[in-house]
Amino acid sequence: QQQVKQSPQSLIVQKGGISIINCAYENTAFDYFPWYQQFPGKGPALLIAIRPDVSEKKEGRFTISFNKSAKQFSLHIMDSQPGDSATYFCAASFLGNTGGFKTIFGAGTRLFVKA
Amino acid sequence: GAGVSQSPRYKVAKRGQDVALRCDPISGHVSLFWYQQALGQGPEFLTYFQNEAQLDKSGLPSDRFFAERPEGSVSTLKIQRTQQEDSAVYLCASSFGQTGSYGYTFGSGTRLTVV
């Protein structure tokens, strides 16, 4: 019930194209949905995040679309660039009953943007 | 400091050896998290501190794992009697808010290899 399922596992996109990564969740207690970008040898870095009362959020070339009823959300990267090549993780967070905040990560999508 | 600092960056331990991994969070960040990231997988929650209080340790895989944050800043993750299955990258993250709902800042991690 606490899983976050992410697809695809890997993605190859031409430069200038749109990269789309999808995630689904089960636990309705999740109330914050961040996306992280990770380069080899580095820790994940927060890219963009959304709360469930909003259906879409855009920051530059990155857009999150959120469908609360379907329990699905996705990341769109417009005009994809070779520098966007990285692993992307969707995540979902909730406040646990111990007062601690917990974030569950998807398994990741390895994106490669061809020049 | 400007970011979350983890040391050492790499650690090779013989099976059965004890190890200690250090995390220096961003100054003033209340929340601190430890995650374990296996190769090709997303980070998995280990434990969470709010200041010096360990509010959630439900993700610690066994009683060989122990974490502390005695003064509410630096944290240490200790693994006793290391096993091969402990090989992973251990990520530390901190957050300004008490709930972490603003997203985390991750360190670059400590890659632990147990031989």
Side-chain angles (χ1 to χ4, degrees):
Chain A
Q1 192 180 17
Q2 293 191 2
Q3 274 190 322
V4 177
K5 295 182 180 179
Q6 184 172 349
S7 63
Q9 192 172 20
S10 61
L11 182 60
I12 300 174
V13 173
Q14 284 290 137
K15 179 181 175 181
I18 302 173
S19 303
I20 302 174
I21 303 170
N22 300 300
C23 284
Y25 64 97
E26 290 293 326
N27 189 348
T28 56
F30 290 135
D31 63 0
Y32 180 70
F33 299 87
W35 285 86
Y36 285 84
Q37 179 189 56
Q38 186 175 31
F39 293 103
K42 300 291 187 182
L46 180 65
L47 193 61
I48 186 173
I50 198 168
R51 295 195 184 277
D53 53 347
V54 177
S55 62
E56 184 175 283
K57 183 173 182 180
K58 183 176 181 179
E59 289 184 1
R61 295 184 295 110
F62 301 91
T63 299
I64 300 178
S65 297
F66 189 86
N67 186 331
K68 187 175 181 178
S69 60
K71 297 183 205 171
Q72 295 175 345
F73 58 112
S74 61
L75 176 70
H76 290 59
I77 306 174
M78 312 299 288
D79 187 26
S80 299
Q81 298 296 313
D84 296 331
S85 298
T87 299
Y88 292 81
F89 295 97
C90 63
S93 303
F94 69 101
L95 192 62
N97 54 17
T98 62
F101 197 78
K102 190 175 290 186
T103 296
I104 310 298
F105 286 79
T109 296
R110 296 187 74 170
L111 171 65
F112 180 69
V113 181
K114 294 169 67 174
Chain B
V4 176
S5 178
Q6 292 189 246
S7 60
R9 284 298 315 276
Y10 305 93
K11 177 69 179 178
V12 179
K14 291 184 178 178
R15 193 172 62 171
Q17 185 179 355
D18 296 351
V19 298
L21 312 180
R22 177 187 170 102
C23 173
D24 281 89
I26 293 173
S27 179
H29 276 197
V30 168
S31 301
L32 185 144
F33 309 82
W34 283 98
Y35 279 81
Q36 180 190 59
Q37 186 174 25
L39 190 64
Q41 299 296 315
E44 292 202 5
F45 174 83
L46 292 177
T47 188
Y48 160 69
F49 289 86
Q50 188 180 108
N51 296 307
E52 69 278 3
Q54 189 175 21
L55 295 188
D56 190 335
K57 55 181 180 180
S58 62
L60 296 176
S62 76
D63 58 7
R64 296 185 295 104
F65 286 71
F66 172 76
E68 59 182 7
R69 194 186 185 197
E71 297 179 358
S73 56
V74 171
S75 178
T76 303
L77 176 67
K78 297 179 180 178
I79 308 173
Q80 297 177 325
R81 305 181 303 281
T82 52
Q83 303 295 314
Q84 282 193 318
E85 62 262 30
D86 300 334
S87 295
V89 174
Y90 290 85
L91 294 164
C92 176
S94 69
S95 176
F96 177 76
Q98 290 188 353
T99 61
S101 61
Y102 297 101
Y104 306 159
T105 300
F106 279 90
S108 293
T110 293
R111 180 178 295 278
L112 172 66
T113 303
V114 181
V115 297

